[in-house]
Amino acid sequence: MKKTPLFYGAVLALLAGACSQETSEQSTAQQPAAEPAAETAKAAPVSTEVVPDTAPPIDFEGFDESVRPQDNFFEFVNGKWLADTDIPGDQARWGSFLILRERSREAVRDIIEDLAATENLEPGSAAQKIRDFYRSYTDIERRNALGIDPLKSELERIESIGSKAELASYFGRASRISVEKPFALFINQDAKNPEAYIAQFWQTGLGLPDRDYYFDEGERPEKLRTEYVAYVTRLFELAGMDDAAGLADTVMDIETQLAEHHWTRVANRDREKRYNKVARAELAELAPAVAWDQYLAATGVHEEDAFIVNQPSYFEGMSQVIEGVSLDGWKTYMKARLLSDAAPFLSDDFYQANFEFYSKTLQGREQPPELWKRGVDTVNGTVGELVGQIYVQRHFPPAAKERMVDLVENLKKAMAQSIDNLEWMTEETKTEAHDKLQNFTTKIGYPDEWRDYSALVISDDDLLGNLERVSQFEHEYQIGKLGGPIDRNEWFMNPQTVNAYYNPSMNEIVFPAAILQPPFFNMNADDAVNYGAIGAVIGHEIGHGFDDQGRKSDGTGTLRDWWTEEDAAEYQKRADALVAQYNQYEPVEGANINGELTLGENIGDLGGLTIAWRAYQLSKDGDEPAEIDGYTPDQRFFLSFAQIWRNKSREDYLRQQVKTDPHSPPRYRVLGSLPNFDPFYEVFDVKEGDGMWMPPDQRVSIW
């Protein structure tokens, strides 16, 4: 009963090696989740009005001119903003991405409130669904009056489980209603046959953000484990269950056993090791304690004869845990998972318990978001594409899309030149790289066709029912893909999402409408600013097609080794050097960046910067534009790049980020990339002894 259709864009990195610009700090989910695509319906026409943009292309008021750009470029561009800015109480961090996400959320609020003021909305219409979903969330008086009542029947269903076979059936039901369990089922393209969908399994089942949280030593990790058990205890108390503390200890024990078998996040990045295709009969050999026939029947995926098991050793270990834990223990565990997943959508006391642990204890937030913000997030997370249709009509003029098409094409030309100019790559591999680049698909703004939600029923007085119906709706759509053609119109982010992604199986780069605003994209800005900002974002996503995992797919999206042995070795040598560089960065005392976990994103950042710079030089066509605000165009390129990563974070959030997030903290997306990039040295006259200096023989250049 989590928010669905979940957030596929945020987990593409786990599913298939593709990565978004930023992940959501609100997500603690362990499993991959798919946001289904639509049945076809023609896209609504968009507004022809160009929204005036008064934001200055570069915010010089945020600069700290007491810092030399040659010593710390991030602080030079952002230092005064950092000093003058307080993180809002309901946020774990604050900066360019978060500010733009707030604008997007406010735009969605305006859409919803306009609908709320409209009489006689047609039953079953998109407008009615959006309005009533929001009403069901924000009717806090009703939610408080109901308390635990909306979950009683589901809790009774769990209590009635009479055998391990029935437990497997309930795991199948949990898949349908988006309740956490020890493993997840999802539908995705077959990485080695991307013209076909295949059912896949993924390790899940943990309430803490990562396996290491169960085993790390020290005062803080032990405190977090104690606080987590207290949180689960509180859920059981609110549900009126006896011996709540004892039940919570049981949950913690089961999760710790599961965590022992979890693959690390670094291991999960390896697409080749995760590709384990098994016949149906082999599932029983791999995990004999799971009653697979009952489970698959309950999910509706009972006619498939092959599956992908992403972490086979986990499933072997999980089977041992299922066998070793009593049925009563598993029922306690599933009740905890249900209560925790539903807590944000129940009464205030449940919501507060969930906030206190996941947002305050883990991330340092001081206060919950206002009710309307949570309501908007719920609508975006469930029927967001319906909202997106209205959003693009109001906020995404055709001129913006046309300008983006030109930018993307120029970035592709720049990437092609980069491939041609690589001295370390053989012609054989270059030919394959060009083929992949030529086959890139670009999606900008919004889908060409919108999904059909006509079968989904939404009520204004049944929040938990709405969430369950959305989950069932999404589940049926997902399993309906099996045996069918690939839907290449499918989007895994809504238009109002401030993010972007690359999907290797589709070999596509995707830029939702909401990111195409200042400071990332400014219709009125000079080219240097746009290439340094949205150009670097475009280049970043193109770069993911050629990062350490994206490079494993070819132009058709097939997971295939198209590299010569010598080229692969040279690539790995350069990647290893980048890992070593980022391992040295310590965003918060005692917590270094994990260079292996963040490698794909760091390659994306460096490659994106490189490609965007080359594209900007191409765009000048031999001319040299005049200085603006006392800076040359080339300098403005780098100022704009550093400005998009303007950000400050709470310490607790930073500690969680370096353990779980494949993205480096924003400061190091500037301080890690620029010292490796020779043109930066020339443009800002960086010399040996300066803080941004790195010896030439240590600089990493891949693309």
Side-chain angles (χ1 to χ4, degrees), residues 321-370:
V321 179
I322 289 177
E323 183 177 6
V325 172
S326 70
L327 184 60
D328 283 343
W330 281 112
K331 290 194 285 189
T332 296
Y333 168 87
M334 287 309 304
K335 289 175 184 177
R337 298 274 52 83
L338 173 67
L339 289 167
S340 187
D341 290 344
F345 312 105
L346 295 172
S347 54
D348 273 334
D349 44 8
F350 276 99
Y351 176 86
Q352 190 65 31
N354 186 274
F355 170 82
E356 288 289 332
F357 181 70
Y358 285 113
S359 295
K360 191 172 184 178
T361 299
L362 285 178
Q363 299 181 346
R365 297 180 192 228
E366 297 173 351
Q367 64 192 46
E370 295 176 70

Side-chain angles (χ1 to χ4, degrees), residues 243-417:
D243 189 22
L247 296 176
D249 286 339
T250 296
V251 173
M252 186 61 172
D253 177 64
I254 294 172
E255 290 185 13
T256 303
Q257 292 184 58
L258 293 174
E260 289 177 351
H261 302 287
H262 263 239
W263 285 24
T264 66
R265 291 182 183 251
V266 171
N268 278 326
R269 293 193 66 248
D270 193 322
R271 299 176 63 208
E272 292 167 323
K273 289 182 179 178
R274 287 202 334 261
Y275 188 87
N276 303 282
K277 197 168 189 176
V278 301
R280 177 169 178 155
E282 293 177 273
L283 291 175
E285 298 174 10
L286 186 68
V290 178
W292 289 104
D293 287 345
Q294 287 86 338
Y295 169 79
L296 292 170
T299 63
V301 188
H302 49 79
E303 296 182 357
E304 297 303 297
D305 56 11
F307 303 85
I308 301 294
V309 179
N310 280 269
Q311 303 90 2
S313 64
Y314 168 76
F315 281 81
E316 292 174 351
M318 177 201 70
S319 180
Q320 298 169 14
V321 179
I322 289 177
E323 183 177 6
V325 172
S326 70
L327 184 60
D328 283 343
W330 281 112
K331 290 194 285 189
T332 296
Y333 168 87
M334 287 309 304
K335 289 175 184 177
R337 298 274 52 83
L338 173 67
L339 289 167
S340 187
D341 290 344
F345 312 105
L346 295 172
S347 54
D348 273 334
D349 44 8
F350 276 99
Y351 176 86
Q352 190 65 31
N354 186 274
F355 170 82
E356 288 289 332
F357 181 70
Y358 285 113
S359 295
K360 191 172 184 178
T361 299
L362 285 178
Q363 299 181 346
R365 297 180 192 228
E366 297 173 351
Q367 64 192 46
E370 295 176 70
L371 185 63
W372 74 263
K373 292 183 179 182
R374 289 144 50 191
V376 165
D377 290 347
T378 300
V379 171
N380 275 334
T382 51
V383 291
E385 193 165 311
L386 294 178
V387 178
Q389 297 180 40
I390 304 173
Y391 179 88
V392 298
Q393 290 175 348
R394 295 189 181 187
H395 300 286
F396 192 61
K401 187 166 186 174
E402 293 165 8
R403 182 84 174 273
M404 271 293 292
V405 170
D406 292 339
L407 283 168
V408 170
E409 287 307 307
N410 210 15
L411 266 292
K412 288 182 180 178
K413 291 177 184 177
M415 182 64 188
Q417 286 192 5

Side-chain angles (χ1 to χ4, degrees), residues 52 122 148 240 298 339 360 380 416 500 502 595 617:
E122 180 183 352
I148 191 63
L339 289 167
K360 191 172 184 178
N380 275 334
Y502 169 74
Q617 301 307 314

Side-chain angles (χ1 to χ4, degrees), residues 342 458 593 638 694:
I458 299 297
I593 292 175
F638 289 109
M694 182 183 293

Side-chain angles (χ1 to χ4, degrees), residues 29-45:
Q30 295 290 316
Q31 80 272 23
E35 178 181 355
E39 296 182 12
T40 57
K42 290 298 180 184

